[in-house]
Amino acid sequence: MVSLEEAQALDLIPDLQSDDPAKADAACARVQAMIKSKQATLLAWPMVKLADGDRSTSETISEKRYPTEFEPPQEQAAGPAATTPPMLPPRTPADTPLPENIVGTTFETRNVGPTLEVEARVRDEGKRVYLNLVSQRVELIEMEKFENIVTQHKVVQATQPLFADSKSTITLTVQSGQRQLIGVHKLGKPANQIEFHLVRAVVSKTD
């Protein structure tokens, strides 16, 4: 999983999608050279090893726990001293109260990081490999703040996570050792970045 500048990505895509293994390998070599020169960013490099017909998963994740329901703010009982005078002048931005954080009561958890799920079957005595795979990367972009005006004198504030999810689900047959582009994703942040999902399957015989 690699991200790179959009213009560079568009130049590489035709060769990465080529049916000519030499062109695809040369394009992948360019991508690796760009990673070394910091023109591209290696986001993840998940690997799995499995027997013919088996299924395997590789993941490097962290769990992000966040609230989905909140305790409503408690209003104080209004006594005579707290009554708003009928001729109170309009409020100005300087009069706006500071927001109060509200307490979460129900939480959910989402896995953040790369995941690779692969089912592989050997074909043609090891010359080709059938792949049924899911390649996914979930990233926490930021925690967004939301404010809601409850009354003239109360503003409440909550935060919610903003996730980015790039996912490629594909079934294909490749030559053993062949590199293949399986996903192209446009990233929202940072801007003008493209994310590649590349796969390579190698058959090795064991006694």
Side-chain angles (χ1 to χ4, degrees):
M1 302 175 184
V2 180
S3 71
L4 60 160
E5 197 273 332
E6 184 175 310
Q8 295 173 319
L10 294 176
D11 287 340
L12 286 163
I13 287 174
D15 285 346
L16 290 172
Q17 292 180 321
S18 175
D19 293 331
D20 183 349
K23 286 186 177 181
D25 286 346
C28 285
R30 288 173 57 193
V31 171
Q32 292 188 37
M34 292 170 65
I35 294 172
K36 291 181 180 179
S37 64
K38 302 189 183 301
Q39 293 178 290
T41 302
L42 179 63
L43 302 172
W45 197 315
M47 300 176 64
V48 295
K49 186 174 182 180
L50 61 162
D52 182 22
D54 283 353
R55 189 173 188 89
S56 184
T57 300
S58 171
E59 57 185 11
T60 305
I61 61 173
S62 58
E63 295 183 346
K64 177 60 183 177
R65 186 169 179 262
Y66 58 95
T68 56
E69 296 182 12
F70 301 87
E71 182 73 29
Q74 302 296 319
E75 289 289 343
Q76 295 181 351
T83 303
T84 303
M87 298 303 293
L88 185 69
R91 296 179 62 81
T92 66
D95 298 323
T96 303
L98 293 175
E100 302 177 15
N101 291 323
I102 53 179
V103 179
T105 57
T106 302
F107 293 82
E108 290 185 1
T109 300
R110 184 163 185 185
N111 292 338
V112 177
T115 302
L116 177 65
E117 301 177 16
V118 183
E119 178 187 358
R121 298 184 183 276
V122 177
R123 298 284 188 262
D124 300 335
E125 297 182 348
K127 295 179 181 179
R128 299 192 303 159
V129 187
Y130 164 86
L131 298 173
N132 180 15
L133 62 86
V134 178
S135 174
Q136 183 176 20
R137 192 179 70 88
V138 179
E139 180 182 9
L140 174 63
I141 301 296
E142 62 181 347
M143 296 296 294
E144 293 185 310
K145 291 183 179 181
F146 298 92
E147 292 185 359
N148 184 38
I149 299 176
V150 179
T151 68
Q152 186 181 22
H153 301 283
K154 182 181 286 291
V155 176
V156 295
Q157 175 178 275
T159 58
Q160 288 287 278
L162 176 63
F163 294 104
D165 188 348
S166 56
K167 184 176 183 179
S168 303
T169 303
I170 190 169
T171 299
L172 74 164
T173 300
V174 297
Q175 298 291 330
S176 176
Q178 176 186 351
R179 293 176 173 85
Q180 182 75 41
L181 176 67
I182 62 169
V184 179
H185 305 277
K186 172 73 173 178
L187 299 181
K189 292 182 180 181
N192 300 319
Q193 290 284 306
I194 297 290
E195 180 176 332
F196 285 162
H197 288 198
L198 298 148
V199 67
R200 180 172 181 252
V202 179
V203 176
S204 60
K205 297 182 179 180
T206 58
D207 295 334

